[in-house]
Amino acid sequence: MTTTQAVCDFISSVELTDVSSSALRRAKESLLDGVGLAVAGSVSEPGRLATDYVADLATANRRARVLGAGTETDARFAAFVNGISIHADDFDDTQLALSADRVYGLLTHPTAPVFAAVLSVADELNLDGARLLRGYVVGVEVATKVAEAILPRHYEDGFHSTGTAGTIGAAAGLCSMLSLDAETSARVLGLAASQAAGLRENFGTMTKPFHAGRAAESAVVAVSLVRRGWTSAPNILEADRGFFRAAGGGFDATLIDDVLGSPWTFDHPGVSIKPFPSGSLTHPAMCALQTLVTEHGLEADDIEQIYAGTNRHMPTALIHHRPTNSLEAKFSMEYCLAIVAIAEDVGLPQFTDDRVLAPDVQRMLRRVEFVEDPSVDLDYDKMNTLLRVTTKGGRTIESMAQYAKGSPSLPLSWSELVGKFERNLAWGGITDTGRYEPLVASLNEIETVSSVRDVVDQLVTVAREEVG
């Protein structure tokens, strides 16, 4: 059996009862996170621009909704905007790499493309929550295993795996949710893989979240055409001119064959839910600096220098050393550590263009030295950062950052997850706190919901009332 056949057999055979209870619990945590981020991201500049764009399109079927904005369109374009919105603030969950040669390079943001696709189609077709959850879990599983299996050249040479593996995962999720057979699923993956794209040079611009939105949209297009009779190659993953070879130079079959759902990625190595709206590589150092500031009673004016030494891979993603806007700041170790030194609470309000350009922030980020440090071990499952703070009084305080809050090793508590969700709703304009608890309950028990449209109605109704 070929890899593509095995993947499609998995897609077509999984039932919700086949998924471990722990994986389902973690999946619903990421799903809750994704909904909040879609609402928050709808008021971001890329979210607003994408919403305006689809509002101008004439579509035959306007039954799917854009979360937050409430715009009605078809599932294809709802998936596009919802995917952009979830990823717009770079606050969405991330996969942990399993193999040593992957380091951080094959991390993907699994929820944005997969959840945007299955939610929008489920909304349009008025499916039940159990089918949505099954599609979401299967889609995340395929996306993360594809990202793990492709050779590191894929990411190192510039592909953004959220746009590439995310397209294939989103397509797999739709096939599962719609109960398509293995042969049909193979044709969907064949068409989806031909659309898979995204280039890392666009990190720090609106085009990074575009990758997630386009991945979700491409999956909807693939399913829609294949269900009308469209054909594609049945062996798209492993073929000599297929996805793995063309996009990465090859793949490690042991990381995808016979391991789908064994274990589920949500169980091992896990998915991290972000504590800060910035690139995940900044988070261990940010958490460590927060601890040092608290434990030593440091004020911003006390700090002479912050040294952050990392392995050679981290600077290839954190490419903006003197950011001039909020998108660049998300991929700037200098900015992220500077804002931690200044602000007690680091969230979306600290990642705006005005805040990035504020004089106190600009002064502080110039005190941050971010370099490759040969003494830092290249330990793939830890985002090691040597942190050294020098005070104006001459003190030197060191810490080795490894894991961030929100990682499987230090997971956010349920109350912390709900708090993030509620803050994201408020940021997106949903300020009626009486609506929060019912939404949390519905999403936490999504498999019992008879109509996904009812859940979306709650968000859309609130958004229209309060945002207009």
Side-chain angles (χ1 to χ4, degrees):
M1 183 178 291
T2 69
T3 294
T4 305
Q5 289 173 331
V7 169
C8 292
D9 279 354
F10 170 80
I11 292 168
S12 64
S13 65
V14 170
E15 298 294 341
L16 208 52
T17 52
D18 297 324
V19 185
S20 69
S21 59
S22 55
L24 287 177
R25 183 181 71 255
R26 294 180 179 112
K28 287 188 282 187
E29 292 173 353
S30 281
L31 188 149
L32 175 76
D33 193 51
V35 170
L37 291 166
V39 174
S42 70
V43 300
S44 69
E45 191 170 4
R48 288 195 299 265
L49 291 174
T51 299
D52 288 346
Y53 167 70
V54 302
D56 288 341
L57 299 176
T59 58
N61 182 13
R62 289 178 174 267
R63 288 183 54 79
R65 275 75 59 83
V66 173
L67 296 191
T71 302
E72 296 177 340
T73 183
D74 65 19
R76 170 183 179 175
F77 297 114
F80 173 66
V81 182
N82 287 328
I84 285 174
S85 294
I86 293 170
H87 197 43
D89 293 308
D90 225 282
F91 211 178
D92 49 319
D93 61 5
T94 57
Q95 168 194 6
L96 291 183
L98 184 63
S99 301
D101 64 351
R102 268 84 178 143
V103 196
Y104 317 116
L106 293 182
L107 287 171
T108 187
H109 293 266
T111 290
V114 174
F115 181 57
V118 297
L119 173 70
S120 300
V121 172
D123 184 28
E124 182 174 273
L125 300 180
N126 195 22
L127 302 181
D128 62 60
R131 293 179 70 174
L132 169 77
L133 183 59
R134 182 183 69 193
Y136 170 64
V137 173
V138 168
V140 168
E141 183 68 7
V142 171
T144 53
K145 291 296 200 294
V146 166
E148 191 73 60
I150 195 169
L151 294 184
R153 193 202 83 185
H154 178 68
Y155 193 89
E156 290 172 355
D157 284 358
F159 282 105
H160 182 201
S161 46
T162 300
T164 54
T167 302
I168 295 169
L174 288 175
C175 290
S176 173
M177 185 176 74
L178 298 173
S179 301
L180 303 185
D181 61 35
E183 181 181 354
T184 305
S185 297
R187 286 190 280 133
V188 172
L189 262 59
L191 182 52
S194 278
Q195 301 175 80
L199 298 174
R200 290 174 58 216
E201 189 61 28
N202 280 305
F203 281 18
T205 75
M206 294 183 198
T207 303
K208 185 174 190 282
F210 174 89
H211 297 161
R214 194 53 179 265
E217 178 193 359
S218 296
V220 178
V221 170
V223 166
S224 299
L225 287 173
V226 167
R227 295 182 86 183
R228 287 168 168 79
W230 202 272
T231 64
S232 70
N235 58 341
I236 199 64
L237 294 179
E238 72 283 350
D240 286 345
R241 292 168 295 278
F243 175 75
F244 283 137
R245 180 67 63 84
F251 73 112
D252 183 344
T254 66
L255 298 175
I256 188 169
D257 292 350
D258 301 321
V259 295
L260 287 163
S262 300
W264 294 92
T265 293
F266 275 117
D267 280 333
H268 180 76
V271 171
S272 294
I273 295 180
K274 287 188 172 184
F276 309 113
S278 59
S280 59
L281 298 181
T282 66
H283 293 177
M286 293 172 76
C287 287
L289 183 59
Q290 278 188 328
T291 299
L292 292 180
V293 166
T294 300
E295 290 181 349
H296 296 273
L298 297 176
E299 299 288 342
D301 288 341
D302 297 332
I303 297 173
E304 179 69 30
Q305 185 191 54
I306 301 171
Y307 172 89
T310 67
N311 64 63
R312 64 183 176 86
H313 289 271
M314 291 172 70
T316 68
L318 304 176
I319 58 178
H320 296 286
H321 304 291
R322 294 292 180 264
T324 59
N325 59 57
S326 60
L327 290 171
E328 292 177 354
K330 294 175 183 296
F331 297 90
S332 170
M333 180 71 86
E334 291 88 346
Y335 178 83
C336 290
L337 293 179
I339 201 66
V340 167
I342 292 170
E344 291 184 10
D345 183 32
V346 178
L348 289 171
Q350 280 70 51
F351 284 85
T352 65
D353 290 352
D354 288 345
R355 194 70 184 107
V356 171
L357 294 174
D360 62 333
V361 177
Q362 288 292 315
R363 285 194 300 271
M364 179 57 72
L365 73 81
R366 283 172 171 76
R367 299 180 206 167
V368 180
E369 182 183 5
F370 171 46
V371 297
E372 177 186 337
D373 188 326
S375 71
V376 177
D377 292 336
L378 186 60
D379 199 347
Y380 71 94
D381 66 342
K382 304 178 187 70
M383 299 175 187
N384 288 344
T385 304
L386 174 61
L387 201 63
R388 183 182 302 122
V389 178
T390 303
T391 71
K392 291 179 179 177
R395 283 193 299 163
T396 299
I397 309 164
E398 283 194 4
S399 177
M400 175 62 78
Q402 295 183 328
Y403 297 109
K405 187 71 173 174
S407 70
S409 298
L410 296 169
L412 297 175
S413 67
W414 179 248
S415 63
E416 289 171 325
L417 288 165
V418 171
K420 178 183 175 183
F421 173 76
E422 293 177 347
R423 288 190 296 276
N424 283 331
L425 292 188
W427 184 260
I430 300 177
T431 57
D432 179 1
T433 58
R435 305 293 184 99
Y436 294 176
E437 187 173 346
L439 283 166
V440 171
S442 294
L443 295 168
N444 191 36
E445 300 174 359
I446 190 67
E447 69 272 29
T448 68
V449 170
S450 60
S451 169
V452 170
R453 286 187 65 82
D454 288 346
V455 178
V456 177
D457 282 344
Q458 295 179 62
L459 289 160
V460 170
T461 299
V462 175
R464 286 177 175 166
E465 288 175 357
E466 300 185 12
V467 180

